[in-house]
Amino acid sequence: IARVLESDPDGRELTALETRELLAAYGITVWSSTAVTSVQEAVAAADEIGYPVVLKSTSPVVRIQPVSSVRADLNSAQAVADAYTALDDRLAPIGANTFVVQRMAEPGIACVVTSGEDALFGPIVRFSLGGVPTEVMNDFGYRIPPFTTGDVDDLINSVRAVPILDGFGQRAAIDRDALRDVVARISVLANSHPQVYDLQLNPVNTHRWGAEVLGATVVVAPPVGRSDGDRRTMSAL
């Protein structure tokens, strides 16, 4: 954080490498992904990563458009090439054809963990399940760190869609401990660094064997100042 703000005093978004470095300092591993701009690059990336892979759009547009932006379980070069062509044809008209290739994760339920620095409240951590329905229904939970273990559970349980995490149909309940661990680590990071203006883990792939952070972005900026640090610390004891 200090290195970035020294070279960019007004702040900026961290690179993928810087983001992984910062989160690794708090015990959070972000899965690597390879940006691709052509069929040839997508196939080369998949060959290097190893099959099966996922091809997905990274554009924020796809979060608010009812359009498919992911192709999963691609097991061959031909499958990757076909997926890239299909997604590019579909997403180019709306400017969302920015793609990455990533190793295929265990099928699970996508969650989103974010933090931001508010001029009045200081750090705020937000939790939700991923997807357009969550955003349309405004189904988000917010809490102010520092957290106790109970605060982490309270944040996760505060969203209306939380029963999905406990299993439905033939799907087993997710590993709650793994999800709690991610949320708790973000709360410590957010509480420790007012320079972290915006942080997003999206998605956090949760399933019965654990949780993986498949994507992350961080923006750092000069701190806005906190006036209630002692009061927040005392309230969490």
Side-chain angles (χ1 to χ4, degrees), residues 69-132:
S69 61
V70 179
R71 292 292 186 272
D73 258 334
L74 304 175
N75 287 293
S76 67
Q78 187 61 54
V80 172
D82 292 344
Y84 187 97
T85 300
L87 283 181
D88 192 49
D89 289 346
R90 180 187 296 266
L91 298 179
I94 60 173
N97 57 332
T98 54
F99 301 111
V100 296
V101 176
Q102 191 172 55
R103 179 163 57 96
M104 180 69 189
E106 180 73 26
I109 298 170
C111 296
V112 182
V113 181
T114 71
S115 74
E117 188 71 16
D118 183 87
L120 179 61
F121 296 104
I124 298 175
V125 176
R126 186 179 82 171
F127 173 78
S128 68
L129 272 64
V132 172

Side-chain angles (χ1 to χ4, degrees), residues 106-109 165 167 170-178 205-212:
E106 180 73 26
I109 298 170
L165 301 180
Q170 300 300 312
R171 188 184 294 272
I174 70 155
D175 182 347
R176 282 284 195 122
D177 286 340
N205 182 50
T206 64
H207 48 82
R208 64 176 179 172
W209 294 290
E212 302 93 23

Side-chain angles (χ1 to χ4, degrees), residues 127-233:
F127 173 78
S128 68
L129 272 64
V132 172
T134 290
E135 299 190 14
V136 170
M137 298 181 67
N138 198 33
D139 190 15
F140 304 100
Y142 302 85
R143 294 295 184 274
I144 298 174
F147 288 170
T148 64
T149 301
D151 292 327
V152 174
D153 282 325
D154 187 46
L155 173 57
I156 294 172
N157 291 329
S158 67
V159 299
R160 296 189 297 277
V162 73
I164 295 174
L165 301 180
D166 296 325
F168 61 95
Q170 300 300 312
R171 188 184 294 272
I174 70 155
D175 182 347
R176 282 284 195 122
D177 286 340
L179 178 58
R180 289 186 189 101
D181 186 67
V182 172
V183 174
R185 291 175 186 276
I186 290 301
S187 76
V188 175
L189 190 160
N191 192 56
S192 301
H193 298 291
Q195 305 93 334
V196 177
Y197 177 76
D198 181 75
L199 180 154
Q200 297 192 31
L201 305 185
N202 184 15
V204 179
N205 182 50
T206 64
H207 48 82
R208 64 176 179 172
W209 294 290
E212 302 93 23
V213 178
L214 304 186
T217 59
V218 178
V219 176
V220 298
V224 296
R226 296 179 180 176
S227 60
D228 65 341
D230 292 339
R231 183 161 63 253
R232 287 188 298 102
T233 299

